[in-house]
């Protein structure tokens, strides 16, 4: 009989990373009012936050998780291109802007992609280190 793998689990490492990334996002949102850090660095880290949140509760491999988070981010950005928040009438509420965003920007897609690429590289790096530690 094959081994059964639980899909739900709590990873304290990813949960801690999620909390740290959330705090970083909060600081960026609250105290940064420029044209680079807030829009692009914030988007770079927000995909990492989403990734670590998913990995903190779901036992799914890194690459599929990263690709789903990236796809989700692209879809959300596309809804901004379609001005879905305005169509739904939630563009004036802070929760609507938080969930659906305000406006479409190609740079956001680049920031999401860069953030996910860093996640994949870090996962690969730490996976190699864990495997080497097991062998040693």
């Amino acid at each position: 009989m094959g081994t059964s793998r639980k899909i739900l689990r709590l990873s304290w490492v990813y949960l801690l990373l999620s909390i740290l990334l959330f705090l970083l996002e909060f600081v960026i949102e609250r105290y940064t009012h420029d044209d680079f850090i807030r829009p692009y660095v914030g988007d770079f880290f927000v995909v990492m936050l989403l990734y670590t949140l998913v990995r903190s509760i779901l036992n799914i491999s890194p690459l599929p998780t990263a690709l789903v988070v990236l796809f989700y981010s692209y879809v959300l950005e596309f809804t901004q291109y379609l001005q879905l928040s305005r169509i739904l009438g939630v563009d004036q509420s802070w929760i609507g802007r938080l969930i659906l965003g305000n406006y479409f920007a190609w740079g956001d897609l680049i920031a999401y992609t860069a953030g996910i690429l860093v996640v994949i590289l870090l996962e690969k790096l730490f996976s190699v280190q864990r495997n080497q530690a097991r062998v040693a």
Side-chain angles (χ1 to χ4, degrees):
M1 201 169 218
T3 60
S4 174
R5 191 174 92 158
K6 291 182 182 179
I7 192 130
L8 287 176
R9 58 105 160 111
L10 179 62
S11 169
W12 291 103
V13 171
Y14 285 107
L15 183 60
L16 178 62
L17 288 170
S18 297
I19 292 167
L20 292 173
L21 286 164
F22 176 80
L23 292 172
L24 177 61
E25 285 290 327
F26 176 79
V27 168
I28 289 172
E29 174 67 24
R30 182 83 169 109
Y31 300 107
T32 307
H33 305 286
D34 68 346
D35 293 331
F36 181 75
I37 293 175
R38 186 170 183 185
Y40 301 114
V41 175
D43 287 344
F44 175 83
F45 285 118
V46 81
V47 291
M48 292 179 180
L49 170 60
L50 292 172
Y51 175 85
T52 57
L53 278 172
V54 171
R55 294 276 290 162
S56 71
I57 58 171
L58 296 178
N59 191 16
I60 302 174
S61 301
L63 186 59
T65 304
L67 294 176
V68 166
V69 167
L70 184 60
F71 178 74
Y72 170 79
S73 301
Y74 284 175
V75 167
L76 198 59
E77 194 68 24
F78 185 65
T79 67
Q80 293 171 15
Y81 176 77
L82 297 174
Q83 299 180 353
L84 187 60
S85 63
R86 185 183 57 76
I87 292 168
L88 295 175
V90 298
D91 58 328
Q92 298 302 313
S93 77
W94 70 270
I95 193 75
R97 288 189 307 272
L98 176 70
I99 294 171
L100 293 177
N102 293 323
Y103 59 91
F104 173 83
W106 287 106
D108 292 352
L109 298 174
I110 295 167
Y112 300 148
T113 304
I116 288 298
L117 287 174
V118 168
V119 163
I120 292 168
L121 290 172
L122 288 171
E123 284 285 6
K124 188 73 110 174
L125 175 68
F126 286 110
S127 173
V128 167
Q129 288 179 349
R130 280 191 302 267
N131 290 339
Q132 287 176 346
R134 284 186 203 142
V135 171

